[in-house]
Amino acid sequence: MTKKVVVGLSGGVDSSVAAYLLKQQGYDVIGIFMRNWVDDEVIISDECPWIEDSNDALLVADKLGIPFHVIDFSKEYKERIVNYMFDEYEKGRTPNPDILCNREVKFDLFLKKALALGADYVATGHYCQKTTTKDNNGKEIYHLIAGADKNKDQSYFLCQVSQEQLAKALFPIGHLQKSEVRTIATEQKLVTADKKDSQGLCFIGKVRLPDFLQQQLKPKEGNVIEIPENHADFIRNWENDTLENLAQNFIYNENDGKIVGKHQGAHYYTIGQRKGLNIGGTPLPLFVIATNTQTNTIYVGQGENHPGLYRKILKVANKDIHWLQENLTLKNGEEAKYSARIRYRQPLENCTLYQKEDGLYFVFDNFQRGIAAGQFVAWYKNDELIGSGVIG
């Protein structure tokens, strides 16, 4: 019996080729475009408007001869993703809506809708791969593997998926290079063949983030304070102090430095940010090294090597730990060596994981730049994604 697959057609080249390859492999393919955003006011003009994307998805479906539907998830998207973003930024944290979008929309709402339509699988145009093994009891175990194109690998964005979700997921282009995907689209005369990759927030497109946040988080003037490199908080005994102490963020107050400017809201900034400060006159560029939304203060340091930008240790609270395979879960007191990243396309960095009573601690071999609360850390064994968690 022919297997039915529902493909998330985004109007881009990757999902278009994914649909084509599935049809070539003999699947019964249905294309669905998810409409998840309805406010065009904060989208930069001509950058990934949803109407154009929907039309392109329709043209691809028509070219491939597959059924096509549009589903409106805008209400759920606002509740699960947008409100989450506002809440995190208001707390001075740095959320990753793309990861939540995959967990909450593509592999939850969309997956459930596909299964209700009688689908056996859902498919996306992500650059990642899936393999299957069996445990000692014959139960199938699903493994999420990095995409073959290391420059486009998107496994990090899928770091929150579960075994149940992976069981129903297909990634048809994960074994291809981006150039090969473009070539296939051109050969098949798909309208998306030369379309630029979308940038910005998942499903929203390229937006002015301050404009987006100002929908709910109002501007509020505060001080920008420069912290010198010799601040006492940077002098830490990274070799001998406790994990609990070393995982703490650097903490400053307004007496630790000098006021060098004003800003319009600490909740608009994140650690490591350079653009948007609009403060000159320093020998080296200023970077955000901390924010305090309670006092509405931004702390900055000069230069990319400022010690306030770097830490070796982070913590994930127990409630925020996610293992893709339960059998790999560390018990209290256990440790394991993996490699990890805290942002998309960051090279994997060697680290040791320590499971303590209050959470999972990551001790990196090298200092990491711009660790911010709210980000996702994802850990790997070679090319396989093992787990992820929200940095505390």
Side-chain angles (χ1 to χ4, degrees), residues 158-192:
L158 296 173
C159 67
Q160 285 277 294
V161 299
S162 66
Q163 281 289 305
E164 293 74 23
Q165 292 168 331
L166 270 181
K168 297 293 184 181
L170 297 177
F171 307 110
I173 65 169
H175 63 292
L176 299 173
Q177 301 293 306
K178 180 73 177 194
S179 57
E180 295 176 296
V181 171
R182 292 279 187 196
T183 297
I184 292 171
T186 300
E187 290 174 347
Q188 298 306 314
K189 297 182 172 55
L190 300 180
V191 67
T192 54

Side-chain angles (χ1 to χ4, degrees), residues 124-131 143-158 171-178 180-181 341 344-345 348 380 382-385:
T124 66
H126 283 105
Y127 284 86
C128 59
Q129 303 174 83
K130 183 180 82 170
T131 61
H143 308 265
L144 183 63
I145 310 298
D149 189 331
K150 299 308 178 188
N151 188 50
K152 295 293 293 182
D153 168 40
Q154 293 173 309
S155 58
Y156 175 74
F157 289 134
L158 296 173
F171 307 110
I173 65 169
H175 63 292
L176 299 173
Q177 301 293 306
K178 180 73 177 194
E180 295 176 296
V181 171
R341 57 169 54 104
Y344 175 51
R345 283 186 175 172
L348 288 171
Y380 294 72
N382 298 320
D383 283 341
E384 180 177 359
L385 196 146

